Amino acid sequence: MTDQLLAAAAPGTAYDPDTDDVVQAELAAEAAAAAAREAELREAVRTAARADEAARDELTRRAGGYVQADVDAWLAHALAAYRGHYRDPAAREEAAGLLTPPVLAHAALLAELARLVPDADVDQLAFAARLATAEPEAAGELAVLLARAHPAR
């Protein structure tokens, strides 16, 4: 087939993949497959985030604020430690639009405190949840300050 194409081409003709229908079709198919994979990943991230929020809402509805605080702490710990579906950078980015400001502030503060004091256990960091719940903006600002105080990661 290649021999036929070369024989049919005028002398001095240069091959241009931009005008090759087969090459263009393959590139289009690859781009469509990549877009489909990316869309599937985004949907999986959204589904996981919605599941987190649904679990949080249902537990809160059933048991009141006490469970909500526990679920929020779990979400903050998972986000701070990049565990579960928060391991994926896209999931962490999506969480910024789905989780409440206290949860996000708690996660940011936990991440910085854990970086500064790696051997701290959960009980030693319980104050972070109280700060984030009472003053989420201040807790977020504290996390930023701690990150600046020790920028090497």
Side-chain angles (χ1 to χ4, degrees):
M1 174 130 184
T2 305
D3 293 337
Q4 292 172 343
L5 289 173
L6 291 174
T13 302
Y15 174 73
D16 183 3
D18 291 340
T19 61
D20 187 329
D21 291 338
V22 173
V23 170
Q24 293 306 308
E26 288 176 358
L27 290 173
E30 288 173 6
R37 285 190 303 273
E38 187 175 319
E40 288 173 7
L41 177 61
R42 279 193 310 271
E43 184 55 32
V45 167
R46 279 194 290 274
T47 299
R50 283 193 303 267
D52 278 354
E53 284 301 302
R56 178 182 182 270
D57 292 346
E58 180 61 17
L59 289 170
T60 299
R61 184 188 67 75
R62 287 184 184 184
Y66 174 74
V67 171
Q68 179 178 343
D70 289 345
V71 173
D72 284 352
W74 177 84
L75 288 170
H77 281 273
L79 185 57
Y82 300 163
R83 289 195 311 249
H85 82 276
Y86 293 127
R87 186 172 295 134
D88 177 49
R92 292 192 301 274
E93 186 175 319
E94 184 82 13
L98 296 172
L99 297 175
T100 63
V103 172
L104 296 173
H106 185 191
L109 192 53
L110 283 176
E112 291 308 318
L113 291 169
R115 190 172 58 81
L116 292 170
V117 187
D119 61 345
D121 64 29
V122 173
D123 293 334
Q124 292 173 314
L125 300 176
F127 70 92
R130 293 190 305 275
L131 286 174
T133 301
E135 291 287 338
E137 190 173 317
E141 291 170 1
L142 177 58
V144 170
L145 181 67
L146 291 173
R148 285 183 46 217
H150 195 274
R153 291 200 182 253

